[in-house]
Amino acid sequence: MVEIATEVRWQDHRLEIPMERIKLSEELGFDAVFTAGGYGCEELVNLGYIAALTSRLKIGTRVTEVTGRAPAVAAMAYQTLNHMTGGGRVIAGLGTGSVPTAEGLQGKPWGRPVARMRDFVTIMRQLFAGEKASHQGKEWSAPYQGPDARGAESSSIGLVPLGEIPIVVGAAGPQMTSLAAEIGDGWMPAGWAPGIMPLMEPLLQKGFDKAGDGRSLKTFDIWGHVDMSVHDDVREAMRPFKEYVVTWSQLQHQFMAARGYPDLSATLGAIIAEATEAGAADNPRGRHLEGRPMLDEPYWQRALDAVPDEYIDDGWLVGPVRRIQNRVAPWLDCGLTGVIFRYGHQMTHDRHVENLDAFRAVAAAAGRKSFTG
């Protein structure tokens, strides 16, 4: 049976853990809850709070950025949570981060993200196993042996292993996706929609083959996510997700092509380029962080109109609760081993008022607990 989960937003300027929804999800038979790191919200602190108020849900990150802390510090945090919860509930979801967060916020060089992920996972696995960290990599090494090294010996983290902590790698690009299959216990794709698994499987198989240890999709976790928004007007509910697609279009070319829209990112790129030349797209990332459209009118509306309704309807769950319940089935049979159901859109820093009936509908569609609302 496909696992189902929810997630805590990281975008909100005022953090409020949605415990009503999280406790309801546990009651409804959901399997896990994830926290996301970003500008402001620290994901592992949230998990400790949630762990104290739940008893069965798996708790995981989607994702912890590997530029933000040393692998030993991350391993200690996850193992601490593992001990706090009795073992078997923690999922270590790792992601590459981004240039703006690495250089602009964390004060770290961007470096080589694929090599960094390989080093990070290697050291974490050693520490999770109770071993001493002993790895000299291209981006992370332990013990440190570079300039001014004092000759310290390698060390373990002290906490004994308490069951397995799966390491799930978040990845969007082809190299990182193959690396996830090679070194991870699972993969968290940056985007997903039913029907794209056949196009992603060769990238995963490349990683399985390189690992050479017999791993395959049968023993590999894939946690995808889908956003939901309850609204009587389906087209109105689509608009925020179109805004998301436009804002992040240049990072989604591979995903758009896999979904059968190979020209969409080029079309949006042309509109953005035209707006930039006209001086109508200054500081697009700053605009996003401030909650403003990345383009001035009329370019903004032109870009939104270029995103087909079908693209949104197949990749998100929008409209009345009953409509959402009726459209969940493809997500539960599309190659994912777990689906994370998030509420609301990603283009605002204000807390969403969540319609909890959407989660009741998901639980019913997944065969967990009936819902007749």
Side-chain angles (χ1 to χ4, degrees):
M1 181 181 292
V2 175
E3 294 188 293
I4 56 176
T6 68
E7 183 174 290
V8 176
R9 285 169 56 85
W10 63 267
Q11 297 94 335
D12 299 348
H13 285 165
R14 185 175 182 86
L15 174 64
E16 294 182 51
I17 306 296
M19 285 310 306
E20 181 182 4
R21 181 244 292 170
I22 292 170
K23 288 182 177 181
L24 174 66
S25 72
E26 188 168 47
E27 177 187 330
L28 292 172
F30 278 68
D31 300 284
V33 57
F34 289 88
T35 58
Y39 286 92
C41 179
E42 207 291 330
E43 66 280 5
L44 287 164
V45 172
N46 290 352
L47 282 191
Y49 181 84
I50 293 169
L53 297 174
T54 57
S55 60
R56 183 188 58 79
L57 288 173
K58 297 177 186 177
I59 56 173
T61 53
R62 204 196 67 88
V63 292
T64 289
E65 296 178 339
V66 298
T67 54
R69 67 193 82 205
V73 175
M76 283 191 288
Y78 285 114
Q79 194 64 273
T80 297
L81 285 169
N82 197 36
H83 277 243
M84 288 169 59
T85 54
R89 288 179 61 191
V90 175
I91 300 171
L94 307 178
T96 59
S98 66
V99 172
T101 53
E103 295 184 358
L105 181 63
Q106 297 158 355
K108 301 285 184 66
W110 178 235
R112 293 162 289 187
V114 174
R116 179 167 54 246
M117 183 64 76
R118 184 183 294 278
D119 293 342
F120 204 96
V121 171
T122 298
I123 294 172
M124 279 189 65
R125 286 206 185 281
Q126 292 175 341
L127 296 173
F128 280 168
E131 302 169 0
K132 295 180 178 180
S134 180
H135 175 72
Q136 297 300 308
K138 296 179 180 179
E139 292 283 327
W140 277 110
S141 296
Y144 176 69
Q145 295 180 357
D148 302 322
R150 302 290 184 89
E153 297 182 359
S154 61
S155 176
S156 64
I157 61 175
L159 290 171
V160 299
L162 193 62
E164 298 293 327
I165 302 176
I167 298 175
V168 184
V169 177
Q175 282 186 287
M176 194 67 73
T177 298
S178 294
L179 183 71
E182 179 191 346
I183 68 173
D185 300 304
W187 171 43
M188 289 177 172
W192 194 265
I196 71 169
M197 186 62 193
L199 294 169
M200 298 298 177
E201 191 169 351
L203 294 175
L204 297 173
Q205 190 60 49
K206 182 178 179 181
F208 295 149
D209 292 343
K210 188 171 182 179
D213 57 3
R215 60 177 58 205
S216 70
L217 285 173
K218 294 180 180 179
T219 57
F220 190 70
D221 292 334
I222 305 177
W223 280 98
H225 70 273
V226 58
D227 294 320
M228 306 184 294
S229 182
V230 176
H231 200 293
D232 290 338
D233 187 329
V234 174
R235 293 205 68 190
E236 185 64 24
M238 290 180 179
R239 182 181 174 90
F241 300 113
K242 290 190 176 188
E243 294 177 351
Y244 171 84
V245 170
V246 172
T247 301
W248 298 105
S249 60
Q250 301 312 297
L251 298 178
Q252 298 181 58
H253 173 73
Q254 177 185 349
F255 184 58
M256 291 174 177
R259 289 188 54 193
Y261 297 83
D263 300 326
L264 181 54
S265 65
T267 299
L268 295 174
I271 296 173
I272 293 169
E274 186 180 344
T276 301
E277 186 176 349
D282 60 295
N283 190 22
R285 183 166 185 84
R287 289 184 181 212
H288 168 63
L289 293 175
E290 294 169 6
R292 297 188 293 130
M294 68 175 294
L295 307 176
D296 293 340
E297 295 293 1
Y299 302 100
W300 183 236
Q301 190 59 50
R302 279 178 54 198
L304 297 180
D305 291 342
V307 181
D309 289 353
E310 295 78 13
Y311 185 81
I312 301 301
D313 215 15
D314 292 341
W316 287 264
L317 293 170
V318 300
V321 171
R322 182 61 64 188
R323 184 178 192 270
I324 289 174
Q325 184 172 347
N326 291 338
R327 295 181 67 84
V328 170
W331 287 92
L332 304 175
D333 187 24
C334 62
L336 297 174
T337 62
V339 186
I340 303 166
F341 293 90
R342 312 190 304 187
Y343 193 87
H345 55 87
Q346 307 299 301
M347 299 301 293
T348 177
H349 300 288
D350 299 321
R351 186 185 180 204
H352 289 289
V353 177
E354 300 180 343
N355 187 319
L356 297 182
D357 280 348
F359 297 96
R360 295 183 175 96
V362 165
R368 305 306 170 84
K369 195 166 184 177
S370 63
F371 172 66
T372 57

